[in-house]
Each structure stands twice: as C-alpha cells, then as structure tokens.
Amino acid sequence: MNNPNPKPQTSNHDGTICALATPTGGALGIIRVSGAESLNITSRIFTKDLTQAKGYTLHYGSIKAEDGTTIDEVLATVFRAPHSYTGEDSVEISCHGSRYIINKVLERLIQEGCRMAEPGEYTQRAYLNGKMDLSQAEAVADLIASTNKATHHLALSQLRGNFSSELSHLREKLLKITSLLELELDFSDHEELEFADRSELLALAIQIENHITSLAKSFETGQALKQGIPVAIVGKTNVGKSTLLNRLLKDERAIVSNVHGTTRDTIEDTIDIHGVTFRFIDTAGIRQTSDTVELIGIERTYQTIDKARIVLWLLDEAPTASEQQDMQTRCEGKKLIIIITKSDKGLPVKDDSSFFIPHSSFITISAKYDTDLSALEETIYSSANIPDISENDIIITNARHYDALMKANESLTRVIEGMGARKVNGKWTTANESLPGDLLAEDLRLTLSHLADITGGTITPNEVLQNIFSHFCVGK
C-alpha cells in the first residue's frame, strides 16, 4: 500500500488529532489519536507512560478524569512513525461503546492538546506522508462503501496499489519516449549521437494508447458494479412484472393486483447475484390508454429502458410484429431477455421462433410458484457479461480517474498522429511524415501530467533528466 513516490514527511502538520474510528452504538469503540504529540497526550490521561513504548504494542490500563477518577478501563495500541496508517505516531484507544464514555475520553484528549479530526483527515495525512497515493486514498472510501463482493475486490485492488502500479509502468514507458525526444532537442547539433528511430517510438506510443483506452473502457463496467447494474422489467399490464419483482426481492415490494395499470411509476430495488448488485426497476405496463397519469408512467417506462443495461420483456401472449419491432429498436445495444410468464397456466406461446429477436435470450417462468427463477437469475447474471473480479483486477470505478485517462488519451493521440499515424477502423496505420520533436514533447508532457493527476503526483524536468542519464550514455 506504500506510495512508490512518497512525499516529504509532514508529521507535525496542524497538530495532533483525535476521533472515534468506529460506529456508535456498539459494544466497543476505538478512538484514534494521531500526530507528533499523540503518545505524550495519551500518557497524560492513561495510567501508563506510553512515551517509551515500542510500536505495535498493546497496553492495558485506565483513562482518568481530571479529578483522578476512572472513566474506563481500556486497551491502548501504540504505532510508531512511519509505521502507522497516517505515517505519524499514533495511539488507538479501545474502550466500551457507551456514548458517555467515548465523549469523556475525547473530552480529556482535547483538554490535553488534541483537536477533533476533520472528515477524512486521517487518510489525508496518510497521503501527505507518502503512505498512499491519491488513488489509494480514494479507494479507502470505496472500500467502506462497498456493498458486494465485486466492489469489495475492486476497492481492495486499488487500495493495494494495483492501479497505481499499472500507471507507474505506463509512466516509465512515456518517460522513455519523452527522454529520447528531449535528447534530440538538447543534442541535435551532435550528429554522432544516435537515437531510437521514430518507428520504434511510434510503436511504443501506440502500445501505451491501446492500454489507456482499455483502462478507460472498463469504466462502464466499473460504474455498473459500483452503482448496480440497471435491469428494466417491462411488458403489458397484468403480465406479472410486479409479481416477478417481489419474487426476485423475496419481499412484497410492489403492489400486485388484477386491476390493469396498478403500477404507474417506477419501483426500484436491488439484489445480489454471485457478488454483483443488480438494480431492478419495475415499470408501468405498456398499453393504449387515455389516462394522463398512466401515460406519464408509460413514458417513464421507455426512459427506464433507455437507461437499462438489461431488459426483461415479460409476455403472456405472442407479441405483434409492431411490438416486436418496437422492442428490438428500443433495446438496441442492450441485453434483452424475453420471459414467457405464467407457465403454471400452460404456455400461452408455443413457439418462440415467431418473435425471435437477435442476441436475445428466451426463458419461461412462473413467478407465482417460483418456477425457474433460479435459471432466470443465472441468465440475468450471464447477460451482464461481468468478468470474474479478483483482488488483482483493475477496473476503473472513479469518474475523476476516467476523466484523467480520457484527457491523457487525447494528448497521446495527438503524439501518435504527430508521428505520422492515423486511426482507421479502430486501428493505427502509418500515413504522414512526423512533426518536430518539440511539438511532440509538449503533448507527451500533457499525457504524463494527466496520468499523474490520478495518483496526485507531478512530473518534473529533473525526472526527465534523471531518466535520460540513467538509461542513455551521453558523452561517455
């Protein structure tokens, strides 16, 4: 989790802070103290002197009130800089979870010189002290907010620095190109010097561009995993949409009635399938109506289809040719699952080939009796086309990272085009002569800068010079 480019230590920055690190209302509470004076301050309210204690040691004792009475018997864990979460001297006080006790301990720490930490300040200090880069710091919030196995694995991967490491490799390759171009500019009057030809640089730049593009494309999957994959449940009135939603959720979430047009607005809830969150939206039934409110609900159904990644089209009779064409048009680019409902009453549709839609799946169920709902869940999961997520996978989930990658890609595309290549049908081909090195170098610097924005680092001229003289023999 360590930052490969640590920042200077700022352990004395803005005093010593304290805060409750666990939710209130539990049996235990952990109060975190961090800063240069954390050991001294804690020792003044604790029955043992911690100033000489070694890191990673646990100490039993009591927290004392100003009058010397005991507030609580606690365990104090000592962390020595830089081997702590924040990179500073730290103490974690484990006490009973009573609000009164917690408030009294915090009150005593503040009386002795602490101040209350601001939101996110511990992680901010960890970043400032080089314990993690900016993308890892953001992963802390994602890890806390993770709601399923997939988002948990992605947050862990980012927190462990897998994404940062990937960017570091790209950065090294870009520095190589930049260094060669800088050499051409700085030593262009020395004809005896030889540099890598432009075809080699072009091939490397294209390789990097393809990698950045691949990372950026993963953002759609990352957002779906983070927010829940949207699944629209659509069909005519009384076809069983609300019944299906209730069965999937195992809860009576939607009103089920024989009256047509009961659902007039979207109803939304989530379930977890194989560690991935799916966001199901029950919609108003599609039919011809003059009811103004129902018409609004039907329009919202169409809007839901537009936003969905997967569409469940429920049928209890064969659709007309126009209905089939309309659904095929609306679901273009999405995964459509055609569901024949009420199989307990006998299949109303005998042959699905009469309304086959390309790239769609077909399944029959009885939501009333839970018949084949497990098979439907498997079909929904496979339709999402989500890869198995491990703790080492890199999938972009953060909009800021995506924006930085897209900007880096734009700058690098200008570099590649400046080297005489053009993209045709998604592939790069050599087309024109190359631009001068100074113009290419400027866009390369922009590319490096945008990638550095993700981790919070900067690319300095000294780094380019160090790269030049560490990898190339100039004037030996």
Side-chain angles (χ1 to χ4, degrees):
M1 206 169 87
N2 289 338
N3 183 352
N5 300 297
K7 296 177 180 298
Q9 293 290 308
T10 55
S11 299
N12 294 315
H13 178 71
D14 211 12
T16 299
I17 56 176
C18 63
L20 179 66
T22 52
T24 57
L28 297 175
I30 296 177
I31 295 170
R32 178 179 283 171
V33 187
S34 183
E37 292 297 310
S38 58
L39 296 174
N40 288 327
I41 290 173
T42 305
S43 294
R44 291 199 286 270
I45 68 171
F46 192 51
T47 50
K48 293 183 179 178
D49 182 7
L50 301 177
T51 57
Q52 303 303 315
K54 294 181 179 180
Y56 304 133
T57 56
L58 194 64
H59 305 268
Y60 172 77
S62 300
I63 298 293
K64 296 296 184 180
E66 281 187 281
D67 60 6
T69 58
T70 298
I71 296 175
D72 193 19
E73 294 182 347
V74 304
L75 291 173
T77 308
V78 174
F79 300 91
R80 289 284 187 177
H83 306 295
S84 70
Y85 178 76
T86 59
E88 306 170 324
D89 284 346
S90 300
V91 180
E92 289 184 358
I93 301 170
S94 178
C95 61
H96 290 95
S98 156
R99 285 181 179 271
Y100 174 80
I101 291 172
I102 290 168
N103 288 337
K104 280 295 182 182
V105 175
L106 288 171
E107 182 181 299
R108 287 292 290 124
L109 288 168
I110 292 170
Q111 287 173 349
E112 294 298 330
C114 281
R115 66 167 177 82
M116 287 297 294
E118 297 175 358
E121 189 170 0
Y122 290 98
T123 303
Q124 182 184 41
R125 289 189 175 202
Y127 164 68
L128 291 173
N129 290 333
K131 297 295 292 184
M132 60 180 70
D133 64 30
L134 196 54
S135 70
Q136 290 173 295
E138 289 168 313
V140 173
D142 287 343
L143 187 61
I144 293 170
S146 62
T147 56
N148 56 52
K149 183 173 69 174
T151 53
H152 174 253
H153 282 174
L154 290 177
L156 272 181
S157 174
Q158 188 171 319
L159 182 60
R160 289 171 176 170
N162 292 338
F163 182 35
S164 303
S165 178
E166 194 79 4
L167 293 176
S168 179
H169 292 321
L170 292 176
R171 181 175 176 270
E172 288 176 9
K173 292 177 180 178
L174 284 167
L175 273 172
K176 178 180 178 181
I177 301 175
T178 305
S179 300
L180 282 168
L181 291 174
E182 294 285 355
L183 276 172
E184 287 186 358
L185 294 174
D186 293 342
F187 300 97
S188 58
D189 55 333
H190 292 261
E191 295 181 0
E192 70 278 5
L193 290 176
E194 295 183 0
F195 306 100
D197 60 34
R198 288 297 172 88
S199 61
E200 180 185 339
L201 297 184
L202 176 59
L204 183 57
I206 289 175
Q207 180 189 52
I208 298 168
E209 192 272 342
N210 288 336
H211 201 143
I212 293 175
T213 298
S214 177
L215 285 172
K217 282 183 177 178
S218 72
F219 179 65
E220 182 181 355
T221 297
Q223 282 293 94
L225 290 172
K226 197 171 182 179
Q227 299 177 3
I229 297 171
V231 182
I233 305 175
V234 303
K236 292 182 177 180
T237 57
N238 274 19
V239 78
K241 299 186 301 298
S242 297
T243 301
L244 176 60
L245 177 67
N246 289 341
R247 291 296 183 269
L248 289 170
L249 298 176
K250 297 177 175 59
D251 186 24
E252 296 300 312
R253 182 72 173 79
I255 297 173
V256 177
S257 169
N258 291 327
V259 178
H260 287 273
T262 304
T263 303
R264 297 193 172 196
D265 202 351
T266 56
I267 300 173
E268 183 175 330
D269 215 326
T270 62
I271 67 170
D272 185 290
I273 304 176
H274 299 319
V276 176
T277 298
F278 289 83
R279 189 156 40 88
F280 288 90
I281 308 105
D282 183 20
T283 62
I286 301 171
R287 66 167 180 164
Q288 295 294 324
T289 180
S290 59
D291 187 296
T292 303
V293 176
E294 193 174 351
L295 283 171
I296 294 172
I298 293 170
E299 179 57 35
R300 290 184 180 178
T301 296
Y302 294 138
Q303 293 172 1
T304 300
I305 292 174
D306 290 340
K307 297 175 182 177
R309 183 161 171 161
I310 300 172
V311 177
L312 308 183
W313 186 21
L314 274 61
L315 299 168
D316 59 3
E317 61 182 8
T320 65
S322 63
E323 289 171 342
Q324 178 182 336
Q325 182 59 49
D326 180 61
M327 190 58 66
Q328 182 172 346
T329 301
R330 291 184 183 277
C331 293
E332 186 174 354
K334 307 177 186 298
K335 184 61 181 179
L336 174 64
I337 302 175
I338 300 171
I339 302 174
I340 302 301
T341 63
K342 307 175 184 177
S343 65
D344 54 293
K345 295 183 177 180
L347 291 179
V349 180
K350 301 298 183 183
D351 182 8
D352 62 282
S353 63
S354 61
F355 53 91
F356 175 75
I357 294 178
H359 311 298
S360 63
S361 301
F362 185 91
I363 190 170
T364 61
I365 67 165
S366 170
K368 183 177 180 180
Y369 294 103
D370 291 344
T371 305
D372 289 326
L373 289 192
S374 294
L376 174 59
E377 288 187 1
E378 293 298 325
T379 302
I380 292 169
Y381 179 78
S382 61
S383 296
N385 197 27
I386 299 296
D388 291 332
I389 307 298
S390 75
E391 294 173 10
N392 295 320
D393 288 325
I394 301 171
I395 295 177
I396 307 305
T397 61
N398 187 300
R400 189 183 70 81
H401 300 170
Y402 172 74
D403 183 59
L405 285 171
M406 292 303 291
K407 289 178 178 176
N409 200 52
E410 289 173 10
S411 300
L412 190 55
T413 296
R414 290 195 297 270
V415 172
I416 296 171
E417 291 175 345
M419 288 184 180
R422 292 291 181 272
K423 185 171 278 190
V424 180
N425 297 325
K427 294 184 178 180
W428 289 104
T429 58
T430 304
N432 304 307
E433 292 186 2
S434 156
L435 292 176
D438 55 343
L439 297 178
L440 299 176
E442 180 58 31
D443 278 321
L444 276 170
R445 291 189 195 100
L446 283 174
T447 305
L448 283 163
S449 177
H450 292 312
L451 292 179
D453 284 342
I454 296 174
T455 56
T458 57
I459 304 297
T460 65
N462 281 338
E463 280 188 89
V464 176
L465 288 174
Q466 287 172 4
N467 187 275
I468 289 172
F469 293 109
S470 64
H471 291 85
F472 308 104
C473 183
V474 178
K476 190 170 182 179

